[in-house]
C-alpha cells in the first residue's frame, strides 16, 4: 500500500561539498562536485559499479577513494582515480566525458604543483618554538631533572569550546578562533594542546605572533 511506512526506497544522503581555498584545487573540487550533482548525486556504490564495468579506465577507486575525490579538501592521491570518477559521472550527466577528463587532468596537475604553506603537524614537536611559556624551575642542582618538557595541563571551560570548534574545522567547516586574555593566562598553551586533536594531513603556518593550522593544501585557515 502506498500509505505503508518504510515502503519506499531511501536515497543515500548526498556527499558533502569539499572546502578548498582559491586556486586549481578549488576549481577541481568544484568541477567534480558540479558533475556529481548534475549526475543526480549517485551513491558511492553506483559510482564504484560504473567504474568497475568500464575496462578502459586507468583508475579503479573504491568507495572511500571516490568519496575523497569528491568531498575531501585535499588533492586526490591518484590522477587516474579522479579521472575515472569524473568520466562515469559525466556519462550519467550526459556531459562530454573526454572533455571533462582533460579538464580534470589539467587541474589535478596544477593542484599538485602548488606548494602548501606551513609545516606538517607531525613535525611540530617543539612547543617553545611556538612561544609556549616554559615552566618556572628552581635554580637548585638537579631540580629540573626527570621533569617533562611541559607541566601537566589542566583543562578549563574554553578548552572544550576550542576542541569543538577544531572538530568542526576538521570536518570541513571554516572557522576563525581568537583567544583573548591577559599575559600568561595560557592562551598559547591552549592552542598547543588543541593541535594534537587535528587529523593527519594538516599543516601549521605561522606569521609574526600568529599561528595558522590548516589542512594541506587547502587555503582556508583556522587561526589558533
Amino acid at each position: 500500500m502506498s500509505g505503508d511506512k518504510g515502503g519506499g526506497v531511501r536515497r543515500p544522503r548526498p556527499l558533502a561539498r569539499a572546502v578548498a581555498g582559491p586556486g586549481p584545487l578549488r576549481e577541481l573540487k568544484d568541477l567534480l562536485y558540479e558533475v556529481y550533482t548534475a549526475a543526480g548525486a549517485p551513491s558511492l556504490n553506483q559510482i564504484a559499479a560504473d567504474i568497475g564495468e568500464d575496462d578502459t579506465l586507468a583508475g579503479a577507486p573504491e568507495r572511500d577513494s571516490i568519496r575523497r575525490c569528491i568531498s575531501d579538501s585535499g588533492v586526490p592521491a591518484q590522477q587516474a582515480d579522479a579521472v575515472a570518477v569524473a568520466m562515469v559521472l559525466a556519462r550519467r550527466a550526459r556531459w562530454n566525458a573526454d572533455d571533462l577528463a582533460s579538464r580534470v587532468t589539467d587541474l589535478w596537475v596544477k593542484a599538485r604543483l602548488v606548494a602548501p604553506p606551513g609545516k606538517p603537524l607531525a613535525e611540530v614537536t617543539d612547543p617553545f618554538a611556538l612561544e609556549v611559556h616554559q615552566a618556572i624551575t628552581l635554580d637548585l642542582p638537579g631540580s629540573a631533572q626527570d621533569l617533562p618538557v611541559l607541566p601537566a595541563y589542566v583543562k578549563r571551560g574554553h578548552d572544550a569550546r576550542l576542541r569543538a570548534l577544531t572538530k568542526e574545522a576538521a570536518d570541513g567547516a571554516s572557522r576563525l578562533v581568537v583567544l583573548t586574555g591577559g599575559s600568561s593566562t595560557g592562551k598559547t598553551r591552549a592552542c598547543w594542546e588543541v593541535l594534537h586533536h587535528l587529523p593527519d594531513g594538516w599543516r601549521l603556518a605561522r606569521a609574526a605572533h600568529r599561528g595558522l593550522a590548516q589542512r594541506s593544501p587547502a587555503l582556508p585557515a583556522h587561526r589558533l
Side-chain angles (χ1 to χ4, degrees):
M1 294 178 63
S2 59
D4 290 344
K5 294 183 179 180
V9 177
R10 175 180 294 182
R11 288 183 54 83
R13 179 180 298 179
L15 297 174
R17 188 170 193 144
V19 178
L25 179 60
R26 176 188 285 181
E27 295 179 42
L28 173 61
K29 292 298 180 175
D30 285 349
L31 184 58
L32 288 172
Y33 200 81
E34 183 180 357
V35 69
Y36 165 72
T37 303
S43 68
L44 293 173
N45 286 336
Q46 290 173 318
I47 300 173
D50 287 352
I51 293 173
E53 293 172 358
D54 190 342
D55 295 334
T56 67
L57 297 174
E62 298 183 352
R63 284 171 47 94
D64 285 345
S65 295
I66 294 169
R67 179 189 56 77
R68 286 193 292 270
C69 284
I70 298 172
S71 291
D72 191 88
S73 60
V75 181
Q78 301 295 328
Q79 181 192 96
D81 288 350
V83 171
V85 170
M87 291 195 71
V88 299
L89 289 175
R91 291 165 186 161
R92 281 180 173 265
R94 298 185 183 279
W95 287 17
N96 185 315
D98 291 334
D99 176 68
L100 182 63
S102 178
R103 294 167 63 190
V104 167
T105 298
D106 181 61
L107 289 172
W108 185 91
V109 172
K110 290 179 179 178
R112 291 286 288 189
L113 292 175
V114 173
K119 177 187 293 187
L121 287 182
E123 300 177 12
V124 180
T125 58
D126 183 2
F128 306 128
L130 300 181
E131 301 178 23
V132 175
H133 290 176
Q134 296 194 33
I136 298 174
T137 58
L138 296 177
D139 189 15
L140 295 173
S143 62
Q145 290 182 1
D146 301 324
L147 291 178
V149 174
L150 292 174
Y153 187 69
V154 179
K155 295 181 180 179
R156 292 170 285 177
H158 62 266
D159 291 292
R161 179 59 175 156
L162 186 58
R163 175 78 180 274
L165 290 169
T166 301
K167 184 179 185 305
E168 292 176 10
D171 290 339
S174 179
R175 294 290 180 265
L176 174 65
V177 181
V178 181
L179 298 184
T180 62
S183 176
S184 301
T185 53
K187 302 183 297 297
T188 309
R189 178 67 188 272
C191 293
W192 169 259
E193 294 297 325
V194 84
L195 287 180
H196 302 103
H197 298 291
L198 287 167
D200 294 338
W202 282 58
R203 305 171 72 90
L204 183 74
R206 297 187 68 231
H209 304 296
R210 291 182 295 176
L212 303 178
Q214 64 181 48
R215 180 159 189 174
S216 168
L219 296 180
H222 316 292
R223 186 165 71 182
L224 303 178

